[in-house]
Amino acid sequence: MDHGGHGMDGMNMDLPPFTLGRGLEFGGDPVFLVGCLLGLGLYAWAVVRLRRRGDAWPVGRVVAWALGVVTVALVMCTRLNDYGMAMFSVHMVQHMVISMLSPILLLLGAPVTLALRALPAAGRGRKGPRELLVALLHSRYMRIITHPAFTIPLFIASLYALYFSPLFDFLMESRAGHIGMMVHFLAVGLVFFWPIMGVDPGPHRPGYVMRMLELFAGMPFHAFFGIALMMATEPMVNTFVHPPASLRIEALADQQAAGGIAWAFSEIPSVVVLIALVYQWYKSEARQSQRADRAADRNGDKDLADYNAYLASLNARGQ
């Protein structure tokens, strides 16, 4: 009997029935564990470097970055990773968190801005890490991969083209394929939300209304995908057709649960990003208002005085 490619390492054949406690036990993937530790370590190094120099760095950004790394670790460095190889619903939790929640939190941490401020300049005529990062940010490649004409179709294709083609089953046959897929989901989430969040500098910086339109262009497709899985009358993905007997689950019910998770998650990033955008918009307007007030203070309300003089001259002419 075909077990959807999970017999190759025997790991998923004797998993006990899923509970949240079992899923959150430490385990999972060393690639993501090393990546998470590196992410926290490098970010902390950069913040400490700024502080020693006497420069401030907002605590909110540190918290957002740490939460982003923690959400990645929760779904990839625990037994959820084992269960995700055998259960569609758990896999969908991993996919949604790592592609739609983690990227938003990581981007709110402004890692590119932090790197540009913390990395030392290499000196005239030489190229160090900071110069290479600046060159990358200004490259044609970066302009293409952050443009909505690229990011929105990629975001959508990561659902439909992957799950409803043989590619998903091929990747799920090995742990390496599964990890590669998760790295892809994280990368797609980052390039999709990067221009929309607008926290870090990038080649594509649309206005607030355009950012909201970009956000809402991608989200309905997640909802439709979830509804398609929920309403299907038979399993649609071969990998999860024959779950290990020890899990005591039924494939179609598990698929419907996965669809419900995908559908529900399509709302979460919309709300989080919308709150972040409205807050940024408000701060931007406040900054512009402060600049105008400061300019008025500097020139002693010269514009108002000029206008009053203009009205006085009109009045004098009319007499």
Side-chain angles (χ1 to χ4, degrees), residues 47-318:
V47 172
V48 168
R49 187 177 165 85
L50 284 193
R51 291 267 163 87
R52 280 187 182 152
R53 208 165 62 196
D55 291 344
W57 185 254
V59 174
R61 288 182 175 178
V62 177
V63 172
W65 177 265
L67 285 174
V69 174
V70 166
T71 56
V72 172
L74 273 177
V75 294
M76 295 308 302
C77 303
T78 61
R79 294 292 302 282
L80 286 178
N81 204 41
D82 295 333
Y83 280 100
M85 293 284 286
M87 293 176 67
F88 202 172
S89 55
V90 176
H91 168 86
M92 194 56 69
V93 169
Q94 288 184 286
H95 177 172
M96 293 295 121
V97 168
I98 210 167
S99 70
M100 295 175 77
L101 182 59
S102 304
I104 293 168
L105 292 167
L106 293 172
L107 289 166
L108 285 173
V112 176
T113 304
L114 180 61
L116 289 172
R117 288 181 61 187
L119 289 169
R124 186 173 294 176
R126 287 184 299 173
K127 282 197 173 179
R130 188 180 187 281
E131 288 71 23
L132 291 172
L133 178 58
V134 170
L136 179 64
L137 288 172
H138 289 97
S139 66
R140 181 184 295 175
Y141 167 76
M142 199 57 78
R143 274 203 301 278
I144 292 168
I145 70 159
T146 59
H147 194 279
F150 179 84
T151 59
I152 294 170
L154 181 67
F155 196 64
I156 295 163
S158 288
L159 283 174
Y160 295 89
L162 185 64
Y163 284 94
F164 300 148
S165 77
L167 179 60
F168 182 82
D169 296 321
F170 170 73
L171 291 171
M172 289 294 282
E173 281 176 5
S174 68
R175 189 159 280 260
H178 183 227
I179 296 307
M181 191 193 317
M182 290 297 167
V183 171
H184 166 79
F185 290 151
L186 180 60
V188 168
L190 287 168
V191 296
F192 177 75
F193 288 110
W194 182 10
I196 293 171
M197 300 306 296
V199 177
D200 274 327
H204 175 60
R205 295 298 296 272
Y208 290 101
V209 174
M210 276 306 297
R211 289 191 214 171
M212 290 179 188
L213 289 175
E214 282 182 39
L215 173 67
F216 292 122
M219 289 305 119
F221 291 94
H222 264 263
F224 296 150
F225 173 76
I227 291 165
L229 291 179
M230 287 165 74
M231 296 188 70
T233 53
E234 58 184 41
M236 297 172 73
V237 179
N238 288 338
T239 296
F240 301 112
V241 167
H242 301 291
S246 63
L247 287 172
R248 297 184 208 143
I249 58 169
E250 198 267 312
L252 187 58
D254 189 49
Q255 175 176 288
Q256 287 165 348
I261 289 160
W263 175 71
F265 245 98
S266 65
E267 303 304 317
I268 294 171
S270 305
V271 173
V272 175
V273 173
L274 214 49
I275 291 168
L277 283 182
V278 169
Y279 178 71
Q280 286 174 30
W281 201 342
Y282 164 75
K283 293 277 281 186
S284 170
E285 292 291 320
R287 274 198 302 269
Q288 284 181 344
S289 174
Q290 279 179 342
R291 272 200 294 270
D293 290 345
R294 278 201 299 269
D297 291 342
R298 270 201 307 273
N299 63 20
D301 285 333
K302 185 172 179 296
D303 291 343
L304 185 59
D306 289 346
Y307 183 63
N308 286 336
Y310 169 68
L311 289 178
S313 71
L314 287 179
N315 195 29
R317 245 180 258 160

